[in-house]
Amino acid sequence: MESVVVRLNSATSSAIRKGQIITKLSDVVRELIDNAVDAGSSRIQIVLDNYGLDKIEVRDDGHGISANQLRSAVSGGYTSKLLQESNHLSCEENYGFRGEALSSICFFANVTIVTKTPTDSYAMKYEFDDSGGVKNECRSGSGLGTQVTVKDLFAKYPVRRKFIRERSRVIAELKEIEGYLKSIAIANPSGCCGYPSTGYPAPKIDR
């Protein structure tokens, strides 16, 4: 009997799309580093608690992002990678081009963003729910730039969570992150991108 092709509802379609963007730890790190470089950062720091399994944090000293722009960035379907005069995607001056990265990360993890632009009197801290909505916000004492903290990636998806905790997978992820950081350093010799601090002497991962 021939299978019937049916249209997915918007929630299911969105979940599948987000799952194709963020599939592993290095996807998160790469997307956040790309955003930091695009923000004109001269210094980027990466912290991976328990090798990123518990927390991924990327801090930069770039130009930050305004409140209204940030709300759009985590909503999904938005991007800053367009050539304004032509409405075409630009890959020449930006890293990547997808407008779903932050939204997808919010969907799979607990995300907090602290940011301050040159025109802001103070930094703001935002906590997001899995749909990219702001569930809490407050002032912060942080300086110019952005800090993105991602906790408990794939915690609500035990099969995928178990997969990324496998020892061979963790080692492969760290090598991929290291390789990407080297490529960023070569392409941006004037900047400084610190090698990830893992936060633990040994990973708490499945054998």
Side-chain angles (χ1 to χ4, degrees):
M1 181 177 180
E2 185 178 6
S3 299
V4 178
V5 178
V6 298
R7 183 179 180 85
L8 295 170
N9 61 52
S10 59
T12 302
S13 177
S14 176
I16 292 173
R17 185 174 65 251
K18 294 176 190 302
Q20 293 174 333
I21 295 172
I22 302 298
T23 63
K24 54 188 185 296
L25 288 167
S26 56
D27 287 341
V28 176
V29 176
R30 179 170 182 152
E31 294 288 357
L32 297 183
I33 291 174
D34 286 353
N35 287 345
V37 173
D38 286 343
S41 306
S42 60
R43 187 174 185 84
I44 303 171
Q45 181 180 3
I46 304 101
V47 176
L48 305 176
D49 276 7
N50 191 26
Y51 294 78
L53 297 173
D54 294 339
K55 182 178 79 172
I56 301 168
E57 189 168 270
V58 176
R59 310 167 189 163
D60 69 61
D61 61 354
H63 53 59
I65 182 169
S66 62
N68 63 318
Q69 291 289 300
L70 180 58
R71 291 174 189 273
S72 294
V74 298
S75 297
Y78 289 80
T79 183
S80 61
K81 317 297 185 181
L82 288 177
L83 292 171
Q84 298 301 316
E85 66 276 9
S86 64
N87 205 40
H88 289 164
L89 291 171
S90 170
C91 297
E92 296 180 1
E93 298 181 357
N94 298 290
Y95 286 82
F97 56 86
R98 294 177 296 202
E100 296 282 338
L102 283 177
S103 174
S104 298
I105 296 171
C106 286
F107 186 78
F108 290 115
N110 297 316
V111 177
T112 301
I113 298 179
V114 180
T115 188
K116 182 177 185 294
T117 72
T119 59
D120 290 334
S121 300
Y122 47 81
M124 287 294 295
K125 177 181 178 181
Y126 302 91
E127 295 179 18
F128 297 92
D129 60 26
D130 59 6
S131 66
V134 177
K135 62 181 182 180
N136 190 32
E137 61 181 276
C138 62
R139 292 188 181 187
S140 170
S142 298
L144 180 66
T146 302
Q147 174 181 306
V148 183
T149 303
V150 179
K151 292 184 177 181
D152 301 323
L153 184 65
F154 300 132
K156 295 182 292 184
Y157 298 84
V159 174
R160 186 171 291 189
R161 176 77 175 175
K162 182 179 180 180
F163 174 71
I164 68 171
R165 289 175 63 88
E166 294 176 357
R167 177 173 291 275
S168 60
R169 171 54 51 184
V170 171
I171 293 173
E173 290 290 286
L174 291 177
K175 288 183 178 179
E176 186 170 338
I177 292 170
E178 180 182 10
Y180 190 65
L181 290 177
K182 288 179 179 178
S183 67
I184 288 292
I186 293 172
N188 300 271
S190 61
C192 177
C193 191
Y195 188 75
S197 168
T198 59
Y200 287 91
K204 299 187 294 182
I205 56 182
D206 295 339
R207 299 288 178 176

